[in-house]
Amino acid sequence: MKTKIYQLFCACFACCAISTALTSCSDDNVSDLQLSGDCMVEAFALDNFQGNIDLSSRTIEVRLPEVYDTHAMTVTALALSNGAACDVKQGETLNMDAARVLHVTNGDTYLNWTVSVRHDEARITHFVINDIYQGAIDQEAKTITVYVPGSVDITNLVPTITYSQNATVTPSSGVPQDFTQPVSYTVTNNSAEATYVVTVIAIEKPKALFIGSPSVMNDLDPEARAACQWMLGNIGGSLYASFADLRAGTLDLTECKVIWWHYHVDGGVDGHDVFMAKATDALDAKNELRQYYENGGSLFLTRYATNLPSFIGVTGDDEWTTPNNCWGQNEDAAELCGGPWSFRIFDGQNGHPLWQNLIAGDNPQEVYCTDAGYHITNSTAQYHIGTDWGGYDDHAAWEARTGGKILGVGGDGAVVAWEYQPRDGHGGIICIGSGCYDWYSYTLEGGYVENFHKNIETITRNAFNYLTK
């Protein structure tokens, strides 16, 4: 009996010992069989560029010139802890287009180290004056042009500068400058350096305007602000102005070719009466807008701004020709795109200047506008076509009543893009009411890659070029 109890005790003791050994491994996958060996990387270099070793994160970053081929780099230095070995050897060639893992062992101990490369980029990516006026950046020429109203004192302007990670810029961002003459800004990042020449141009007569209700651009909603920032940085001679500015006559519009209104309202603007209730600032300035249009000025109207033509006499005396099928979501609860969203080019309009140079998808008849991972409010101001409701039995009936020309349609045939061509000395108007035409995503989900969304910029640039001509 004593023998059996003794054997049982020995078996239990052995099990406990094994269990203790199995549960005593550290988070670094270090076995407790041999604890004497370190697995440190003490020195590392690629093509004689020394790596920056971070012991806490077990990462190694190798800084390279801004333009450097990483496809085949040689390990020119590799020093490890005494007695350690690595699965990568000195003299070995590595493709560093993506990060690599070094597996370092020492007896029964091992650690993984992540090696990556970073190019020493020295770029200014955004340049904004007084938090309002966006600079147009030419990365090849290294020039930045900023247009401001003639009333702005250019001897004391404050630039906000966004530039490459890990870089420095001189003069510093946020420091007031006199821009009577061009000012040079030098960006330095390790081995890379670039100097940008910034020119501020005060203009009395803008070539193009972005309009909205707030007195300053920064108070626009995020969707309209994103659109306005693109315009100020890409359309020469462009400014932001409020509807109050138009009413006050403080702007000289004699050289203004295009006025753009991109009107977003959370929850949508559904119909004539709702537009009248919400767009009071715009309608207060409708006489000025009508005079501008009748004098030959062109309009680019997007999202719910597509209601405006009916109120400035473009469609005759019939104000009830506003879009009859409208909706939209709130910006902070926007819908996640699982893939590209698109609308269709209307039959016979493939050659229209608005649809040129777009990134094409599977169907050449489609205008692709978003990418997977983009959040969109699907804010739509379209015309339902059909005999069931709405007053437009077919596309021909819509064109006859409104005087417009259809350029794009939704999947059900709804009119989502159209134009009013110049006539009788009046300007031209491009309208886009498709929910796919979207500038701002409150967040971009993991793995987001911008591709088709670049078409939004291309369409907009095409519209300006077309209306200017």
Side-chain angles (χ1 to χ4, degrees), residues 23 56 71 74 77 94 107 153 155 158 199 210-211 220 250 257 277 293 300 307 313 317 335 354 372 388 459 469:
T23 58
S56 61
H71 182 67
T74 302
L94 303 179
D153 179 11
T155 66
V158 180
T199 303
F210 189 103
I211 56 173
L220 290 167
T250 57
K257 302 298 184 182
Y293 163 69
F300 182 41
N307 285 271
D317 296 328
E335 184 175 351
L354 198 64
D388 47 351
I459 292 169
K469 293 177 182 178

Side-chain angles (χ1 to χ4, degrees), residues 176-453:
Q177 292 290 333
D178 181 353
F179 284 96
T180 304
Q181 299 295 326
V183 178
S184 295
Y185 283 83
T186 299
V187 186
T188 304
N189 189 359
N190 200 30
S191 66
E193 183 175 288
T195 297
Y196 290 76
V197 178
V198 180
T199 303
V200 175
I201 301 174
I203 51 178
E204 301 292 342
K205 300 178 180 181
K207 305 295 183 183
L209 282 182
F210 189 103
I211 56 173
S213 292
S215 59
V216 294
M217 181 204 72
N218 272 7
D219 290 339
L220 290 167
D221 64 273
E223 170 69 24
R225 185 167 63 246
C228 183
Q229 287 174 335
W230 179 88
M231 175 180 166
L232 297 180
N234 291 273
I235 304 299
S238 62
L239 292 176
Y240 172 79
S242 69
F243 292 112
D245 292 329
L246 293 180
R247 294 198 308 274
T250 57
L251 294 162
D252 187 338
L253 301 181
T254 56
E255 294 185 12
C256 183
K257 302 298 184 182
V258 183
I259 291 179
W260 181 14
W261 183 24
H262 183 65
Y263 182 35
H264 170 81
V265 176
D266 271 355
V269 176
D270 188 8
H272 173 277
D273 291 347
V274 178
F275 180 80
M276 287 193 66
K278 291 184 178 293
T280 54
D281 291 336
L283 293 179
D284 285 345
K286 71 177 183 179
N287 290 335
E288 289 75 18
L289 288 166
R290 180 170 185 162
Q291 182 178 19
Y292 167 80
Y293 163 69
E294 291 179 348
N295 287 340
S298 293
L299 297 169
F300 182 41
L301 305 173
T302 50
R303 196 157 287 192
Y304 304 118
T306 56
N307 285 271
L308 183 64
S310 299
F311 289 89
I312 61 173
V314 179
T315 59
D317 296 328
D318 189 359
E319 288 188 357
W320 292 94
T321 51
T322 55
N324 63 2
N325 189 204
C326 310
W327 64 83
Q329 301 170 9
N330 292 349
E331 200 70 75
D332 61 359
E335 184 175 351
L336 178 63
C337 295
W341 282 32
S342 66
F343 59 91
R344 183 165 58 85
I345 299 173
F346 190 56
D347 295 341
Q349 294 301 322
N350 293 69
H352 194 280
L354 198 64
W355 311 133
Q356 303 311 299
N357 303 313
L358 300 181
I359 298 171
D362 294 336
N363 187 345
Q365 198 68 20
E366 295 289 314
V367 177
Y368 295 89
C369 299
T370 68
D371 301 287
Y374 185 93
H375 281 87
I376 191 168
T377 61
N378 194 17
S379 297
T380 301
Q382 65 181 21
Y383 290 89
H384 174 79
I385 300 298
T387 57
D388 47 351
W389 57 273
Y392 307 103
D393 291 351
D394 53 31
H395 291 125
W398 181 90
E399 291 189 336
R401 179 177 174 187
T402 66
K405 178 181 178 181
I406 302 172
L407 303 179
V409 294
D412 61 353
V415 178
V416 300
W418 62 99
E419 71 170 314
Y420 302 99
Q421 296 179 321
R423 58 180 176 81
D424 302 327
H426 298 174
I429 300 177
I430 290 285
C431 294
I432 301 178
S434 170
C436 298
Y437 183 86
D438 193 283
W439 280 93
Y440 173 79
S441 175
Y442 75 91
T443 186
L444 300 171
E445 293 300 312
Y448 173 82
V449 177
E450 179 136 321
N451 182 39
F452 292 123
H453 190 249

Side-chain angles (χ1 to χ4, degrees), residues 14-42:
C15 289
C16 290
I18 292 172
S19 175
T20 301
L22 291 175
T23 58
S24 64
C25 295
S26 75
D27 292 338
D28 291 333
N29 300 313
V30 181
S31 169
D32 68 341
L33 297 177
Q34 295 183 28
L35 301 177
S36 60
D38 288 331
C39 299
M40 308 301 289
V41 176
E42 298 175 350

